[in-house]
Amino acid sequence: MAEIRNYTVNFGPQHPAAHGVLRLILEMDGETVVRADPHVGLLHRATEKLAESKPYNQSIGYMDRLDYVSMMSNEHAYVMAIEKLMGITPPKRAQYIRVMFAEITRILNHLMWLGAHGLDIGAMTVFLYTFRERETLMDAYEAVSGARMHATYFRPGGVYRDLPESMPQYKESPFTDKRKAEELNANRQGSLLDYLQDFTEKFPSCIDDYESLLTENRIWKQRTVGVGIVQSERALQLGFSGPMLRGSGVEWDLRKKQPYEVYDELEFDIPVGKTGDCYDRYLVRMEEMRQSNNIIRQCIQWLQDNPGPVMLDNHKVTPPNREAMKEDMEALIHHFKLFTEGYCVPEGQAYAAVEHPKGEFGVYMVSDGANKPYRVKIRAAGFAHLSAMNEMVKGHMLADVVAIIGTQDIVFGEIDR
């Protein structure tokens, strides 16, 4: 009788559930996974080396392109590292704006994750629902930065500009009649804060809709309960963070344990799981969206009551205002010098980390006193999670590999940077 041997298959990089260009080499015994070997290198863009070759300000846009679903969260860590090296603190209003947009970004990330994860394992409707809410928040991104994705809104010393007092309006077109335009503009009659206030009032019922589709759905639970279990102690050993760690029952969140910006002034809870399976991580992220919605509401209230500057009045770091540039040649020259040559940062080293939607995202920066960093090292949350892929999928069926990739919320831009 011929001996039956294991065989290997490629999962990705072209697979729609590979979330970018992940290549997994799976050793299979029939339909059961014996071993999984993740391969990186297909996307590598040398982001850290590029950052070391440019003035500090010119690399903020690179951060957006790492995890292109959590754009401003990446900027946040990079900008905080520069501020640590320079010993500067942004104005209070800028800190509240940063926190508000960090939580908007968290919701954007989790909506993308939920829609894609659902689609990966056979739930199509939720994908359409989540993108409906993402459009609303993308409009907020565009209102403050002019870009729907790669914002470059956070800057050393504050944020690019204050929140707009009016929202862009839809106009009549061959695709939008007058009645439809009025309907679309109904919540755009006030400021950006009014627009976001309206969103925060509606969003909890949207989360209820997602949960009514999935949380007690028999097929969803069959695909996620007991799949990819990681116990709390092992999750810590593997370097997990974010929902992957909290889903295993470890109450660790940098916003609470190592507060930055104004998180220590806000009220919110840290959701944790029990068994550390795909279903627990799903529940954790769903509750995180509710908590982020609550944080955004608190930020809106504070920002409505407290006007003020959003950028330090330190023109070694920050550009002069546009009115000054029109009247003063020296201010205009300073503007060009700041954006081309940049500024020198004192010698030293700093590590700044944020509670990114996927976990701990950190930037370690070394300065030798020049106008560009001597070293930049990024701590991407997803890299540690991908490293545990073999352990998480071993013994599961091939179909479960898709569920486990989805629960890790992998975006390859930050992993293979």
Side-chain angles (χ1 to χ4, degrees):
M1 192 178 200
E3 184 183 349
I4 299 173
R5 294 179 178 174
N6 294 344
Y7 59 95
T8 58
V9 295
N10 267 317
F11 185 105
Q14 77 293 339
H15 196 288
H19 291 240
V21 288
L22 167 63
R23 182 191 180 202
L24 275 183
I25 298 176
L26 300 175
E27 184 182 336
M28 306 292 297
D29 178 7
E31 280 286 304
T32 304
V33 180
V34 177
R35 190 171 68 91
D37 184 11
H39 280 227
V40 298
L42 293 165
L43 183 68
H44 198 71
R45 294 174 297 182
T47 303
E48 289 143 329
K49 284 298 165 193
L50 284 168
E52 290 165 12
S53 69
K54 298 184 184 303
Y56 288 89
N57 260 353
Q58 292 184 19
S59 294
I60 299 171
Y62 280 118
M63 300 301 119
D64 288 302
R65 290 156 175 81
L66 287 165
D67 176 357
Y68 35 80
V69 188
S70 305
M71 299 72 68
M72 288 196 200
S73 293
N74 305 330
E75 294 175 20
H76 202 171
Y78 180 77
V79 164
M80 280 172 55
I82 296 172
E83 288 172 346
K84 273 191 177 181
L85 283 170
M86 300 189 78
I88 58 176
T89 304
K92 195 69 169 282
R93 183 174 174 85
Q95 292 184 45
Y96 267 95
I97 292 172
R98 284 181 179 184
V99 167
M100 183 176 76
F101 270 96
E103 297 309 314
I104 287 172
T105 304
R106 193 178 313 279
I107 293 174
L108 278 170
N109 181 95
H110 287 356
L111 288 174
M112 172 63 90
W113 160 80
L114 180 62
H117 187 34
L119 202 59
D120 285 348
I121 54 180
M124 183 169 184
T125 306
V126 72
F127 183 82
L128 305 175
Y129 279 32
T130 57
F131 267 70
R132 178 188 60 196
E133 275 68 69
R134 272 177 61 84
E135 283 302 305
T136 305
L137 294 178
M138 283 293 190
D139 285 349
Y141 253 59
E142 188 174 10
V144 294
S145 70
R148 282 168 56 83
M149 287 184 68
H150 305 312
T152 321
Y153 181 58
F154 292 11
R155 306 286 173 90
V159 293
Y160 164 53
R161 63 179 178 184
D162 207 346
L163 305 175
E165 289 300 317
S166 61
M167 287 294 291
Q169 303 287 304
Y170 283 96
K171 295 180 181 178
E172 290 181 59
S173 74
F175 309 102
T176 310
D177 59 23
K178 185 178 180 181
R179 184 178 160 197
K180 183 65 176 175
E182 288 174 355
E183 185 183 316
L184 291 169
N185 289 329
N187 63 345
R188 295 167 174 266
Q189 301 308 307
S191 66
L192 173 64
L193 289 175
D194 296 327
Y195 176 77
L196 289 171
Q197 181 80 42
D198 179 73
F199 172 82
T200 59
E201 289 167 4
K202 295 175 180 174
F203 189 54
S205 65
C206 296
I207 302 175
D208 292 340
D209 289 344
Y210 312 149
E211 293 220 64
S212 67
L213 285 170
L214 298 177
T215 302
E216 294 303 326
N217 184 300
R218 178 168 55 89
I219 300 170
W220 181 258
K221 292 180 83 170
Q222 285 173 340
R223 293 300 307 271
T224 56
V225 172
V227 175
I229 294 174
V230 181
Q231 301 294 343
S232 57
E233 190 175 321
R234 187 59 183 150
L236 287 166
Q237 291 169 348
L238 289 166
F240 281 11
S241 58
M244 290 291 291
L245 181 60
R246 293 191 285 275
S248 295
V250 180
E251 191 181 340
W252 179 261
D253 188 313
L254 293 180
R255 296 171 297 171
K256 285 277 193 185
K257 306 299 184 183
Q258 298 173 10
Y260 53 95
E261 305 292 16
V262 292
Y263 277 112
D264 55 349
E265 299 178 17
L266 301 167
E267 292 182 12
F268 61 97
D269 298 320
I270 305 173
V272 293
K274 292 181 179 178
T275 55
D277 59 6
C278 290
Y279 189 67
D280 266 5
R281 291 186 281 270
Y282 155 77
L283 293 175
V284 164
R285 288 185 175 103
M286 296 303 283
E287 181 56 29
E288 279 191 10
M289 286 197 284
R290 296 185 192 276
Q291 295 299 324
S292 291
N293 195 64
N294 182 36
I295 292 171
I296 293 167
R297 295 188 77 157
Q298 293 174 64
C299 290
I300 290 169
Q301 185 63 57
W302 191 94
L303 289 164
Q304 285 173 335
D305 297 340
N306 296 274
V310 296
M311 184 62 89
L312 287 178
D313 189 24
N314 173 0
H315 293 310
K316 286 187 177 180
V317 184
T318 62
N321 65 52
R322 291 190 175 273
E323 285 182 16
M325 284 192 287
K326 289 174 182 176
E327 299 172 0
D328 185 354
M329 180 57 74
E330 191 176 328
L332 185 63
I333 292 168
H334 173 66
H335 171 86
F336 283 116
K337 191 171 186 296
L338 186 67
F339 282 98
T340 55
E341 191 177 311
Y343 40 79
C344 293
V345 170
E347 284 186 42
Q349 54 188 330
Y351 176 74
V354 298
E355 189 60 41
H356 185 281
K358 292 175 172 60
E360 180 179 336
F361 181 89
V363 174
Y364 173 67
M365 193 176 285
V366 180
S367 170
D368 60 358
N371 67 333
K372 57 188 75 169
Y374 177 73
R375 282 287 179 270
V376 173
K377 179 70 178 77
I378 294 165
R379 195 272 182 199
F383 190 85
H385 304 153
L386 179 68
S387 303
M389 182 66 73
N390 180 55
E391 191 168 320
M392 290 180 74
V393 303
K394 195 179 291 184
H396 282 295
M397 306 293 278
L398 178 60
D400 296 327
V401 175
V402 177
I404 290 168
I405 291 171
T407 197
Q408 288 190 359
D409 192 12
I410 286 171
V411 166
F412 240 68
E414 68 161 8
I415 291 170
D416 194 10
R417 61 199 172 281

